[in-house]
């Protein structure tokens, strides 16, 4: 098997006296889809945000491709961090779109600021990605005039504008009305089919079951179980996993 594209070892993170990540290790292969599930407050978002350097950890190692985002608790310089995090796209629970920009403006902003590409190429890519997420007619709309499902599809297209190697999703459907989750999950399913590497923190058991190659279960700041969906849903070994799955399934 190829070397993992994401390798996390012994990650620790506290907020004041609260130890949120106790000892988190994880390895993700290129093109793998990993779903992270677990009870509220178990540290899933903090783990994901640490991968994208939206949180700094207190100890441990994160390797992305050939580079260390953090090695034994030590971070490299800002330029290196920026270079590493630019290879990852993040999709948030609450979309985090820029409200004062149109959909097209949201897609084009980061590439215009960071990539030395002609404006016409950026515009063409934005049109392609809007079509990919089924929103080709919404380029001129503002986020306030979109449904939650449409906003999240814009957020995914925006993340794809930077041609990331890895997409990180933090509960992408949790803020949506149930009837709008399907359209977002469909886009994610499509990306998985295109072999995008994805780490998805989710409460969507159906998605974890159908789309994830591997499901990892987090409890109290640690991964306590990991397996294919069949292994984990069919026969959880840990009592804590059974209790959680019984509650949410
Ligand atoms: N910036 C912060 N400052 C202080 N405490 C925080 C901060 N961010 C998260 N926490 C705390 O860390 C713990 C883990 O939070 P985290 O959001 O990682 O959990 P989670 O598993 O993603 O939960 P949920 O499923 O509810 O989103 C929680 O007790 C939370 O209150």
């Amino acid at each position: 098997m190829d070397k993992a594209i994401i390798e996390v070892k012994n990650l620790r993170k506290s907020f004041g006296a609260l130890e949120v990540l106790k000892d988190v290790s994880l390895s993700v292969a290129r093109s793998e889809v990993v779903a992270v599930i677990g009870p509220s407050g178990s540290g899933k978002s903090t783990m994901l945000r640490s991968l994208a350097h939206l949180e700094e950890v207190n100890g441990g190692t994160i390797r992305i491709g050939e580079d260390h985002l953090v090695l034994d608790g030590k971070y490299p310089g800002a330029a290196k961090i920026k270079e590493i995090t630019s290879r990852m796209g993040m999709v948030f629970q609450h979309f985090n779109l820029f409200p004062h920009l149109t959909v097209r403006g949201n897609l084009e902003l980061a590439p215009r600021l960071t990539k030395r590409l002609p404006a016409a190429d950026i515009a063409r890519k934005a049109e392609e990605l809007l079509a990919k997420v089924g929103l080709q007619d919404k380029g001129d709309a503002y986020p306030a005039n979109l449904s939650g499902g449409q906003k999240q599809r814009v957020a995914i297209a925006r993340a794809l504008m930077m041609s990331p190697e890895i997409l990180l999703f933090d509960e992408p459907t949790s803020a949506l009305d149930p009837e709008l989750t399907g359209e977002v999950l469909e886009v994610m399913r499509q990306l998985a089919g295109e072999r995008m590497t994805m780490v998805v923190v989710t409460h969507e058991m159906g998605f974890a079951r159908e789309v994830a190659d591997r499901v990892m279960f987090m409890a109290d700041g640690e991964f306590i179980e990991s397996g294919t969906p069949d292994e984990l849903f069919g026969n959880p070994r840990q009592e804590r996993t059974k209790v959680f799955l019984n509650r949410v399934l």
Side-chain angles (χ1 to χ4, degrees):
M1 198 171 105
D2 282 354
K3 192 169 155 189
I5 188 170
I6 303 175
E7 184 85 52
V8 174
K9 283 196 187 137
N10 310 119
L11 222 54
R12 288 184 294 107
K13 167 76 180 169
S14 298
F15 292 110
L18 182 67
E19 212 182 354
V20 176
L21 302 181
K22 291 183 180 154
D23 184 5
V24 168
S25 297
L26 156 82
S27 129
V28 180
R30 199 174 284 279
S31 299
E32 195 177 19
V33 178
V34 174
V36 176
I37 62 174
S40 186
S42 55
K44 306 180 298 295
S45 294
T46 305
M47 184 277 304
L48 199 73
R49 292 171 57 80
S50 301
L51 292 183
H53 194 247
L54 299 173
E55 303 285 356
E56 287 212 339
V57 296
N58 304 114
T61 293
I62 299 174
R63 179 178 58 73
I64 304 292
E66 297 299 320
D67 299 298
H68 284 103
L69 175 62
V70 51
L71 179 60
D72 287 332
K74 292 198 179 54
Y75 283 88
K80 186 74 191 168
I81 291 176
K82 202 166 160 194
E83 193 269 305
I84 296 171
T85 54
S86 73
R87 290 186 251 139
M88 291 180 271
M90 178 112 179
V91 176
F92 300 89
Q93 182 176 359
H94 295 289
F95 327 121
N96 296 16
L97 297 177
F98 302 110
H100 61 293
L101 295 179
T102 62
V103 164
R104 192 172 285 111
N106 268 275
L107 263 66
E108 293 182 1
L109 183 66
R112 278 179 188 268
L113 292 177
T114 59
K115 300 228 166 185
R116 295 201 182 102
L117 286 178
D121 289 4
I122 293 173
R124 189 170 334 107
K125 183 157 187 180
E127 294 313 312
E128 278 168 22
L129 287 172
L130 284 178
K132 184 184 178 92
V133 300
L135 293 173
Q136 55 277 17
D137 53 344
K138 294 291 182 191
D140 294 324
Y142 283 87
N145 297 324
L146 300 178
S147 72
Q150 291 172 333
K151 282 183 208 171
Q152 197 57 301
R153 286 186 281 149
V154 171
I156 294 172
R158 182 178 62 173
L160 292 171
M161 283 296 288
M162 301 296 283
S163 307
E165 291 172 48
I166 298 165
L167 277 183
L168 307 173
F169 294 84
D170 193 2
E171 301 191 20
T173 58
S174 295
L176 302 179
D177 292 336
E179 71 273 19
L180 299 178
T181 62
E183 62 195 63
V184 173
L185 294 176
E186 187 48 46
V187 170
M188 293 170 68
R189 201 174 280 126
Q190 190 189 335
L191 290 170
E194 293 167 8
R195 305 191 53 74
M196 174 63 84
T197 307
M198 309 204 282
V199 181
V200 185
V201 170
T202 185
H203 291 118
E204 290 283 345
M205 296 301 150
F207 177 82
R209 233 172 163 145
E210 286 164 37
V211 182
D213 298 305
R214 200 146 49 88
V215 177
M216 300 194 66
F217 190 89
M218 190 175 253
D220 301 327
E222 288 178 84
F223 283 119
I224 61 166
E225 286 212 58
S226 164
T228 64
D230 281 351
E231 285 165 354
L232 191 64
F233 290 99
N235 186 21
R237 293 160 297 230
Q238 293 269 356
E239 208 48 47
R240 279 185 289 180
T241 313
K242 276 183 213 159
V243 170
F244 178 75
L245 291 177
N246 282 338
R247 213 175 57 227
V248 295
L249 283 177

